[in-house]
Structure formats: structure tokens, C-alpha cells
Amino acid sequence: MDSTAPMLKPHDRLAARLADDMDAVNTLIRTKMASEHAPRIPEVTAHLVGAGGKRLRPMLTLASAHLCGYTGPYHVHLAATVEFIHTATLLHDDVVDESEQRRGRPTANLLWDNTSSVLVGDYLFARSFQLMTECGSMEVMRILSNAAATIAEGEVLQLTAAQDLATDEAVYLQVVRGKTAALFSAAMEVGGVIADADATTVKALYDYGDALGVAFQIVDDLLDYQGQSEATGKNIGDDFRERKLTLPVIKAVAKASADERAFWVRTIEKGKQDAGDLDHALALLNKHGTLAETRVDAIAWAERAKVSLSPLPDHDIKDMLVDLADFVVDRIS
């Protein structure tokens, strides 16, 4: 190997390792996106799918299947299923959040309309259920259908918790496990199930996905306050402007003086935001060290993900998954 060549990032190495399967997944996705009677469906879906993204969740399904020695065809179907569920939730999320940018591009609801985004999201959910039935496993269907329900439940919980200063870290974790980690853990778990892995292995895969998903969301929430728009694909401070109580703010509210709490009540609970409020929010987060504390939490969850893989035998994909957990939190180093 050329020592001067740039080192590939863990998800890129995983993508290269799984390249043939990912090509099959992408082909299947394009096929299932088609609609003879409603051309807007492939238009909207292609816009979001074509915006890039690492295809991390379907890669986790492929990786866990390979890790368990699976050689059949259905891991491709399940990986596509996972990606359809993920894409559907993004379409719905952008409508709920009234977002205008996703991965550095205008959102589908901005280019078309909210109705199109919701209905195309519904179509992708339906497609995902069609796909998951093709492997003929009731256990796989149970896992993925439960994940879809948990994701929706997490989003609804966030609606009520996101602007309530009584929301604590336990409720935040419940939201994160619902809206983000549920699909990570399901993506890993079904790869083991389809390979007929033993219960200990399947549990290890589930635990890895759960912890990785929590770390991933905490990092995402942290980057909203200290990332770069060019790298994150969204505007810095969007969560604050959208009045979302994420972990850095929850920690700051817990430490707030009476005047500081009044600021959070005005800006988050009541939604009365003025010029300079984002800068003041950032000052409070730095004053109480909650950005640094949130980073520590993210690293702890990444470590938990790595430890979860310890029962599994040595494998090059296992090594890549360990490196992936490190990479998730390296973004906030």
C-alpha cells in the first residue's frame, strides 16, 4: 500500500468491503422507487437519495450478516428495507421541522410541497414492508416493524418534550433511542437473525447498534452548536431556532440561574427569539461546560458500542465496526 495515500475513513473502508452488496442494494432501491402511475414518487425519492449520505444503516445490516457468515441473498433486501425506512422518516421529519436544507441541498418539501413529502414517505414505508416480507422470516418482520413503530413513537414524544424545560436527560435518551437508535439496532439485529446466529451474537449486534445510534445522535446534536455548516449540511443553531431541547441545553437548564432559566423559557418554551439570542445561548452552554459534558457522554456511548462487540469472534468487519464507533465521535474532537 502507498504510505502517502490518504487513510480511508471507517465507513468508506466498510463501503469498499461491502461494495458488491451495496451495488445490489442501490439497484434494488432504484427498482423499488419506481412507480408507473405516480412519477412524483421517484422524483422526490431520487432527490433525497441522490443527495448523498453514507448509507450507514444499510451497511450495518450487510456488515452484521457478513460478520455472522451469511451467504444468502436476503441481506440485500433487508438493507434496502432499512434504507427505505430511514428515507421515509427523513421526508416526514423535514415536514414536521419545516426544514429547508438536508445534506446541503433544499429539502423535498421546499422543492415540491409538504403533501408530496408526506405521501412519498408513506409510499416508502409501504415499500419497506413489502421488502421485509420477501425473506420469509417472522422474526425479521417483528424486529423491523417494531423499529418503525418505535421511531414514530420517538418522534411524537419529541413533539411534547422538545419545548418543555422539565425534559430531563432520561427523557432525552428515550427520544434518541426511539427516533435514531432504534433503526441502528434493528439494522444490526436483522443481519444476525437472517444468518441464524445464536442469541448471544444477536444481542451483541443489537447492543452495538443501540449504543452507536445514541452516540451518533448526541454528536449530531452537539454539532448543531459547534459544527461547520459545510460539513454538517445544515445551518448552525437550527435546533435552537426550532426550539429543540437537546442534551447540551438540557444540561445548561439544569444548572441555570433564575435569569438564565427565564432566557430558556422565553426562547425555547415560548419561542420568542431575538437577534443575538443564539450567541447568548452559546455563551451559557460554554459557561456551564455543557458542550464539553455532552462530548464526554458521546464518547462513553461510543465506547459502550465497541465493548458490545467483544463476544464476537475476530473478523475484519468487526474491526471496521470498532473503528466506526471511534469515527462517530472523532467528528467532535
Side-chain angles (χ1 to χ4, degrees):
M1 180 181 291
D2 181 1
S3 61
T4 63
M7 183 70 70
L8 287 176
K9 295 175 181 177
H11 59 271
D12 291 327
R13 286 191 284 121
L14 196 58
R17 174 69 168 78
L18 303 168
D20 290 343
D21 282 345
M22 282 305 301
D23 286 343
V25 170
N26 289 330
T27 298
L28 184 58
I29 286 173
R30 285 192 296 271
T31 300
K32 296 299 184 180
M33 280 191 331
S35 172
E36 178 183 354
H37 304 294
R40 179 157 296 186
I41 289 173
E43 288 174 7
V44 173
T45 310
H47 171 74
L48 187 55
V49 171
K54 301 176 181 65
R55 291 283 205 281
L56 182 56
R57 293 155 188 82
M59 273 199 293
L60 291 178
T61 296
L62 299 176
S64 63
H66 277 278
L67 192 54
C68 296
Y70 183 68
T71 58
Y74 292 117
H75 60 319
V76 171
H77 293 69
L78 295 180
T81 298
V82 166
E83 184 64 9
F84 273 144
I85 292 173
H86 176 55
T87 305
T89 62
L90 295 184
L91 287 167
H92 289 170
D93 285 354
D94 287 340
V95 172
V96 171
D97 295 340
E98 299 180 349
S99 300
E100 297 183 354
Q101 190 178 57
R102 167 77 64 181
R103 296 169 181 162
R105 301 175 67 186
T107 54
N109 54 299
L110 186 65
L111 292 179
W112 284 274
D113 50 59
N114 285 342
T115 302
S116 294
S117 290
V118 170
L119 293 178
V120 172
D122 291 346
Y123 178 83
L124 294 184
F125 268 124
R127 278 299 201 201
S128 74
F129 281 93
Q130 288 178 327
L131 273 171
M132 75 176 72
T133 65
E134 294 186 17
C135 67
S137 168
M138 288 298 295
E139 179 64 5
V140 161
M141 291 178 62
R142 182 192 66 79
I143 292 166
L144 290 173
S145 60
N146 281 352
T150 302
I151 292 166
E153 187 178 39
E155 293 288 358
V156 174
L157 175 60
Q158 182 175 252
L159 284 178
T160 58
Q163 296 162 11
D164 182 358
L165 291 192
T167 297
D168 59 15
E169 294 189 31
V171 174
Y172 169 83
L173 182 58
Q174 187 178 354
V175 170
V176 167
R177 277 208 156 111
K179 72 171 194 171
T180 302
L183 193 54
F184 276 77
S185 57
M188 290 293 295
E189 189 177 8
V190 294
V193 169
I194 200 67
D196 200 25
D198 61 80
T200 299
T201 297
V202 172
K203 178 67 162 55
L205 296 170
Y206 171 91
D207 288 345
Y208 173 84
D210 176 63
L212 184 72
V214 174
F216 186 92
Q217 187 60 56
I218 292 175
V219 168
D220 195 55
D221 291 344
L222 186 57
L223 288 174
D224 188 78
Y225 285 99
Q226 63 177 37
Q228 300 294 324
S229 295
E230 297 79 8
T232 63
K234 62 180 185 178
N235 299 314
I236 300 304
D238 276 349
D239 285 348
F240 177 77
R241 283 183 285 270
E242 293 168 10
R243 302 163 59 198
K244 290 182 180 177
L245 263 178
T246 56
L247 191 56
V249 175
I250 290 171
K251 289 178 179 290
V253 170
K255 299 180 178 183
S257 65
D259 287 345
E260 291 168 357
R261 185 174 180 83
F263 168 80
W264 294 120
V265 168
R266 175 175 63 81
T267 57
I268 300 296
E269 284 196 344
K270 296 182 179 178
K272 297 178 180 178
Q273 296 185 6
D274 301 321
D277 280 345
L278 175 59
D279 288 338
H280 186 59
L282 287 167
L284 292 178
L285 300 183
N286 285 309
K287 172 186 174 182
H288 293 294
T290 66
L291 296 175
E293 289 179 8
T294 300
R295 180 177 179 274
V296 169
D297 286 356
I299 291 171
W301 279 102
E303 288 298 318
R304 185 168 172 173
K306 294 190 300 184
V307 170
S308 297
L309 294 174
S310 57
L312 305 183
D314 290 339
H315 197 289
D316 65 321
I317 288 180
K318 176 182 175 180
D319 294 338
M320 292 178 193
L321 292 174
V322 169
D323 291 343
L324 179 63
D326 284 330
F327 176 73
V328 165
V329 292
D330 282 347
R331 296 186 297 157
I332 52 173
S333 297

